[in-house]
Amino acid sequence: MRFDRHHIVRLDPERWPEVLAGHAEARRMPMVVEWVSAGRPLIVRRPLFEDVRDHVPLGLPLPPSHGKQRLSFIVPSDALLSIEPPPLLADARIAAPDGWQDAIDAVVALDPATRCFGGLAWAYLTGLSYLTATSDLDLLWRVHCAGDVERLLPALAAIAAAAPMRIDGEMVAPAGLAIQWQEWRGDAADLLAKTADGNRLVRRDAVFA
């Protein structure tokens, strides 16, 4: 099974204590101990050097009220109940501040398949308070060719210029290369791409090769 960055994972609550057994810090946090039984998910993260083979690397970002800590776990694959893409922006908008709604409307009109991650996604998925006055709107677009990028960029730039919050996000090519949308706006021959196992420079003309 392929585990992409930003994908949302739900675990078997009966297996969560075994996962926590190797994480002393997490066991001292009541919110984390109750996290899975409360129906809250974790997120796929990049693997670390010390991660165990045949386990899935997951992350749990706590809300700002709990120090905005990012906890890392490795979970046996058979403890997973489901894995799904990050939420659609059109769905998660109910957790966004009123002041964000016009910008969200514009992005959804541009591409209804836009997904979100970061604070808005976690507020929507958990019902907890993740957004602050300085939060970004983190978005994700699946692009299949250079034409998709060229169609999205001018409109995104206009929406971002008028938005009350910073709009960040990644355009993800079929090969899994995730490139910041503003990275595309320059004229550099090489672009910084994020992948499941790290960052690397890729030639602009090779992203969709």
Side-chain angles (χ1 to χ4, degrees), residues 83-149:
I83 180 167
E84 59 201 44
L88 288 166
L89 179 60
D91 293 336
R93 63 175 304 153
I94 62 172
D98 290 344
W100 287 24
Q101 295 298 326
D102 287 347
I104 290 175
D105 279 345
V107 174
V108 172
L110 175 64
D111 184 356
T114 302
R115 295 186 180 272
C116 65
F117 59 101
L120 177 59
W122 284 102
Y124 169 70
L125 291 166
T126 68
L128 301 174
S129 179
Y130 276 84
L131 296 172
T132 69
T134 59
S135 292
D136 296 343
L137 176 59
D138 298 301
L139 303 176
L140 199 66
W141 300 272
R142 293 284 175 180
V143 288
H144 301 284
C145 62
D148 288 343
V149 177

Side-chain angles (χ1 to χ4, degrees), residues 15 17 24 33 36-37 50 52-53 64 66 68 81 105 108 110-111 131 149 158 164 166 169 177-178 181 187 194:
R15 302 292 298 277
V33 172
V36 175
S37 62
E50 64 268 22
V52 179
R53 189 187 296 266
H66 285 68
K68 208 174 181 180
L81 294 181
D105 279 345
V108 172
L110 175 64
D111 184 356
L131 296 172
V149 177
R166 181 173 181 268
L177 301 172
W181 76 270
D187 56 6
K194 297 179 181 179

Side-chain angles (χ1 to χ4, degrees), residues 33-49:
V33 172
E34 299 166 2
W35 190 264
V36 175
S37 62
R40 297 170 184 148
L42 282 78
I43 189 169
V44 175
R45 60 170 174 82
R46 289 174 174 168
L48 302 174
F49 179 77

